[in-house]
Amino acid sequence: MTEVIGRIRQATNVPKRLVAISAILLLILCIFPFVAGDFQTNLMAKLLLFGILAVSLDLVWGFTGILSFAHGVFFTLGGYAMAYYLKLNLSASANTYGVALPDFMVWNGLKELPWFIAPLQIFPIAAIAMVALPAGFAYIIGWFIFRSKVSGVYITIITLAISSALTTFFVSQQAFTGGTNGITDVSKLSFFGIVVPQLGLYYIILGFTTLVLAGSWWLTQSNFGLILRSVKENEQRISYLGYDVASFKIFVWTLSAGIAGIAGGLFVPLNRFISPVYLAVAFGTQIVIWVAVGGRGTLFGPVIAAILLGQLQNSVDRITQDWQLIVGIILLTVVLFLPNGLMSLLPKKFRFTEINRMPIPRGSTTAGFVRVSLLDWYSPLVRLIQSVRGKR
Amino acid sequence: MIVHTLASIVYLAQSSPSEGFSAIAFTNQLLNGLGIVGILLLTGLGLAITFGVMRIINLAHGEFIMLGAYTTFVLQSVFKMDLLLTIPFSFLFTALIGAIVERTIIRRLYGRPLETLLATWGLSIVIQGVVKLIFTAQLKYVRAPSYIRGNWTLFQAGDQVVQISIYRLFIIFMALLLLALTGYLLYRTALGREVRAVTQNRDMAKCLGVNTNLVDMATFAYGCGLAGIAGTVISSLKSVAPPMGQDYLVDAWMTVVTGGVDKLIGVLAGAFLIGQSNAAIAYFLNDPTARVIVLAAVIVLIRYRPEGLFTIQKRS
């Protein structure tokens, strides 16, 4: 199935340095709640989720070259799915009006639960919807825009329009979405009768962050990731080599929307509300800023940028109200003077996401150095298993 | 999502106050739509210059509109100036800022559209922040002069009135005037010829002695100046506040993309299509739904004709 002519060092050779640094960071984050207070723990959990969101955008922008302002939309769709579940699971007495119907529906004169919201009372359905709703939406959009001649800038404008349209839509559908206020006062996260404490939520988020980072790293180091990078570099050439560029784009676009959706779903029990603020263009660009500042195509950069900017905002907010101005200046500075983001300040041996290409042997055709089918993205896994079993 | 959409459309259709179709009300709505067309045209025109001619994705366009509105506010509150008299000043001021921005930021990023997009977004945040520092986030109000206030009644029969606000007429008049002026500058003057030459073939234009740096700066400054005029004209419609530009940004982009930027007339067509379909749909459903439907239609349009409706298909 795979035929590698030039030799590409594969993800099976996990660099020891990366593992060591990640392990130390993970350890620090594990003991973080016991050192810092509740407020800091909550903040850190929130920033980790924003970091995941930034990674999901990095997959499509940093690696594939599709700049999207719509990732806030995917995040919020996942968030709403979870928010309905948490809201509907409030006991009737905990609700303002003592009825099972959520308060915003009572205000807007709904008598019973709409049929398309009702299934979200059940946890497995809500959990699936949290991923399926944004991923499905993204798949439809992706199928619609990537299978056409639309390119670069126009895709970005389309994502702007999507974000703007959905914000208007969610604000106008007060009875179903809670309008501008969104869904507030949700219950704590609980499933199958177990209530998850705040600390538990922190560890769930930390675990998910680790999973997403490791998964994305593995994906982008695989042959599949190599194709994505080549799509970014020269889409036309890669399609001349026989790859169906659109299906690669749609796959990574849907995947990243799914990740963003889960991040949104975990965000709601932490934040205790979700509102169209997260749908709006402003939040969408916030994500773009994290990725741009951290460094496109670096995976770890966006997470670091999200955490740093979030902590900075937290400390600056107490002194001045002009946080946005500072963000603008940071963004301008990075775009003009540091186009590859903060991660490019690190020495080269600490930039782990670049592919170390070994010299291509003479006589081989450089044009088609890797031939992979879309199905092949699991072949690194096969190789990993083989290497563990010592059969390389 | 689709289920949501369908459900809400059905819901809206049932709940919307439908006393039947009224020709008078519908005509009024279309005349209101004319006002929207004017605003779209005004805000889109500057973009048509910066994007159409220079291929710059200017996300700070809304902030130039805001700067124009603030110029009017300052001149009006300090010198008690008439709104119409402030128009040249806001044009000059925003054009000056535009020229500085082109010199310091845009110039470094030519040929990298996505980077320009990021930089102008950063710029828009900075401009908003600075204006907020100077004027605070408080809403400011600008008064329209008395001779362009009030309504103009076109038709009256009993209590049924067809009328259009004079200010809306003024907006569309200004928009058309600026469109004509821009068309004249671009197609009938030496500078316009140089601008078009740079657009078509930058290197060749340079070889023939066109000062491309100057042309770039002048074009960008002119586009920003147009945004400033739009800001002045819009300022008395709603309140003036630092984030006001954001409201116009997406719509201005949709206008420009719908019409296509090859010909200036595309902007007029785009503004007319979006404005009037918005007004017509809003009559039958409601405003937010109309906006959602129109935006969705524009997305579909971009998918099939990214170069816009009114561009002759080129073979590349």
Side-chain angles (χ1 to χ4, degrees):
Chain A
M1 185 164 272
T2 336
E3 182 192 342
V4 182
I5 301 170
R7 279 183 225 142
I8 308 297
R9 195 186 293 165
Q10 281 300 322
T12 43
N13 312 333
V14 178
K16 293 193 179 74
R17 208 183 277 125
L18 173 63
V19 173
I21 293 176
S22 317
I24 294 169
L25 284 178
L26 194 61
L27 201 66
I28 292 173
L29 284 171
C30 274
I31 54 171
F32 186 78
F34 302 103
V35 183
D38 277 354
F39 175 77
Q40 270 295 330
T41 309
N42 256 349
L43 181 67
M44 186 54 94
K46 200 165 147 182
L47 296 180
L48 282 175
L49 284 177
F50 287 163
I52 296 171
L53 190 53
V55 170
S56 77
L57 179 64
D58 195 21
L59 281 177
V60 297
W61 184 28
F63 288 93
T64 326
I66 309 158
L67 174 52
S68 152
F69 284 112
H71 268 62
V73 169
F74 304 139
F75 178 83
T76 320
L77 286 180
Y80 267 95
M82 188 46 98
Y84 284 122
Y85 165 73
L86 295 177
K87 189 79 186 170
L88 295 171
N89 272 277
L90 280 178
S91 56
S93 56
N95 247 324
T96 324
Y97 297 97
V99 284
L101 206 62
D103 44 13
F104 61 88
M105 292 186 183
V106 176
W107 291 329
N108 289 290
L110 285 196
K111 291 283 171 277
E112 57 184 33
L113 209 54
W115 57 268
F116 52 89
I117 293 176
L120 293 173
Q121 294 177 71
I122 305 155
F123 181 73
I125 294 182
I128 292 169
M130 176 174 89
V131 190
L133 203 64
F137 184 56
Y139 181 79
I140 295 168
I141 296 172
W143 177 81
F144 187 67
I145 56 180
F146 295 133
R147 293 219 177 273
S148 73
K149 54 184 175 170
V150 181
S151 62
V153 166
Y154 285 99
I155 287 177
T156 308
I157 296 174
I158 287 182
T159 60
L160 268 180
I162 290 171
S163 167
S164 182
L166 274 186
T167 313
T168 314
F169 181 72
F170 269 68
V171 169
S172 70
Q173 299 301 305
Q174 263 201 14
F176 303 115
T177 62
T180 327
N181 294 328
I183 301 176
T184 52
D185 299 326
V186 297
S187 66
K188 283 193 169 165
L189 181 63
S190 63
F191 41 85
F192 309 123
I194 312 158
V195 178
V196 179
Q198 209 67 354
L199 196 62
L201 193 58
Y202 175 82
Y203 283 114
I204 291 176
I205 290 170
L206 185 58
F208 182 57
T209 315
T210 318
L211 194 72
V212 166
L213 271 176
S216 314
W217 190 81
W218 170 72
L219 188 73
T220 52
Q221 294 290 305
S222 69
N223 284 340
F224 179 79
L226 205 59
I227 307 272
L228 292 186
R229 289 165 205 253
S230 3
V231 167
K232 182 186 161 199
E233 295 299 328
N234 193 335
E235 190 178 327
Q236 205 156 30
R237 181 175 286 182
I238 206 76
S239 73
Y240 286 163
L241 288 175
Y243 298 106
D244 182 10
V245 173
S247 58
F248 281 90
K249 283 182 173 175
I250 294 170
F251 176 80
V252 76
W253 175 257
T254 312
L255 178 77
S256 102
I259 296 173
I262 299 177
L266 289 174
F267 180 69
V268 174
L270 191 72
N271 200 38
R272 307 307 285 277
F273 79 94
I274 189 87
S275 76
V277 168
Y278 299 100
L279 279 172
V281 178
F283 185 66
T285 48
Q286 191 69 52
I287 310 165
V288 173
I289 291 172
W290 291 325
V291 180
V293 170
R296 272 160 276 175
T298 59
L299 292 180
F300 302 93
V303 181
I304 295 168
I307 293 176
L308 279 183
L309 286 178
Q311 291 287 359
L312 193 65
Q313 174 176 22
N314 178 44
S315 45
V316 167
D317 256 1
R318 294 178 193 159
I319 310 162
T320 157
Q321 287 295 306
D322 300 300
W323 163 245
Q324 280 303 320
L325 181 60
I326 299 169
V327 171
I329 293 170
I330 293 175
L331 178 62
L332 261 181
T333 319
V334 166
V335 173
L336 288 177
F337 304 110
L338 207 65
N340 293 319
L342 289 177
M343 281 300 264
S344 63
L345 292 174
L346 289 178
K348 200 157 188 191
K349 56 184 173 183
F350 290 107
R351 282 180 249 154
F352 297 108
T353 47
E354 282 160 21
I355 285 198
N356 303 307
R357 191 181 297 159
M358 291 167 99
I360 295 160
R362 274 185 197 181
S364 64
T365 49
T366 48
F369 57 79
V370 188
R371 204 167 297 157
V372 203
S373 73
L374 184 56
L375 287 173
D376 190 42
W377 52 270
Y378 61 83
S379 80
L381 184 69
V382 173
R383 217 169 298 133
L384 188 73
I385 295 166
Q386 280 174 347
S387 73
V388 169
R389 288 161 71 195
K391 280 188 186 172
R392 281 201 84 189
Chain B
M1 202 56 239
I2 293 174
V3 173
H4 278 220
T5 319
L6 286 178
S8 60
I9 286 173
V10 170
Y11 170 79
L12 284 171
Q14 285 164 351
S15 66
S16 63
S18 50
E19 307 102 21
F21 178 80
S22 146
I24 298 282
F26 189 65
T27 317
N28 271 327
Q29 182 74 5
L30 287 188
L31 287 174
N32 279 343
L34 220 52
I36 308 177
V37 172
I39 294 174
L40 288 177
L41 188 53
L42 269 176
T43 52
L45 200 56
L47 266 189
I49 298 294
T50 48
F51 179 61
V53 179
M54 303 179 72
R55 293 281 143 186
I56 292 171
I57 315 292
N58 185 7
L59 288 190
H61 188 71
E63 275 56 46
F64 285 103
I65 296 176
M66 183 260 288
L67 283 179
Y70 268 97
T71 315
T72 304
F73 167 74
V74 169
L75 290 175
Q76 201 170 59
S77 54
V78 178
F79 301 109
K80 302 277 175 280
M81 251 184 182
D82 194 288
L83 185 127
L84 289 185
L85 282 179
T86 64
I87 287 178
F89 291 99
S90 59
F91 174 81
L92 287 177
F93 178 67
T94 44
L96 178 72
I97 303 276
I100 295 171
V101 165
E102 203 275 341
R103 277 270 138 143
T104 51
I105 297 173
I106 312 271
R107 175 147 303 178
R108 298 156 175 270
L109 302 170
Y110 279 128
R112 290 188 285 168
L114 291 185
E115 311 264 302
T116 324
L117 192 151
L118 274 184
T120 49
W121 183 261
L123 180 74
S124 89
I125 302 174
V126 170
I127 294 179
Q128 267 189 50
V130 171
V131 170
K132 205 169 141 190
L133 271 185
I134 301 172
F135 294 97
T136 73
Q138 225 178 355
L139 301 180
K140 311 283 186 202
Y141 295 95
V142 169
R143 283 172 62 82
S146 53
Y147 49 86
I148 45 176
R149 267 184 279 170
N151 288 316
W152 183 34
T153 306
L154 297 171
F155 169 80
Q156 193 162 17
D159 57 344
Q160 301 214 303
V161 185
V162 175
Q163 60 182 15
I164 180 165
S165 96
I166 296 179
Y167 203 79
R168 280 180 204 278
L169 275 180
F170 165 68
I171 289 176
I172 194 133
F173 170 74
M174 276 302 295
L176 290 174
L177 187 73
L178 286 177
L179 184 71
L181 186 70
T182 310
Y184 175 77
L185 281 176
L186 206 52
Y187 294 106
R188 291 279 181 275
T189 61
L191 183 66
R193 196 158 52 237
E194 288 190 348
V195 170
R196 281 180 296 136
V198 172
T199 320
Q200 281 164 17
N201 192 334
R202 176 173 295 269
D203 292 333
M204 190 49 103
K206 212 184 256 172
C207 283
L208 293 172
V210 176
N211 186 347
T212 50
N213 281 343
L214 192 70
V215 166
D216 284 338
M217 198 175 81
T219 319
F220 191 76
Y222 182 70
C224 293
L226 287 181
I229 297 182
T232 296
V233 174
I234 290 167
S235 64
S236 79
L237 276 184
K238 288 178 187 165
S239 49
V240 178
M244 69 179 278
Q246 301 281 307
D247 301 344
Y248 298 102
L249 181 72
V250 174
D251 290 5
W253 268 108
M254 293 307 126
T255 308
V256 170
V257 172
T258 303
V261 287
D262 225 28
K263 295 247 159 41
L264 270 180
I265 202 77
V267 190
L268 178 63
F272 197 80
L273 263 179
I274 292 189
Q276 288 300 12
S277 52
N278 214 326
I281 299 171
Y283 174 76
F284 292 108
L285 297 166
N286 57 18
D287 274 323
T289 318
R291 189 178 147 77
V292 173
I293 292 175
V294 169
L295 280 177
V298 174
I299 293 171
V300 175
L301 182 86
I302 299 177
R303 158 71 169 78
Y304 288 103
R305 284 196 69 113
E307 67 282 347
L309 275 182
F310 299 89
T311 305
I312 301 147
Q313 206 105 38
K314 276 182 242 157
R315 287 179 195 201
S316 50

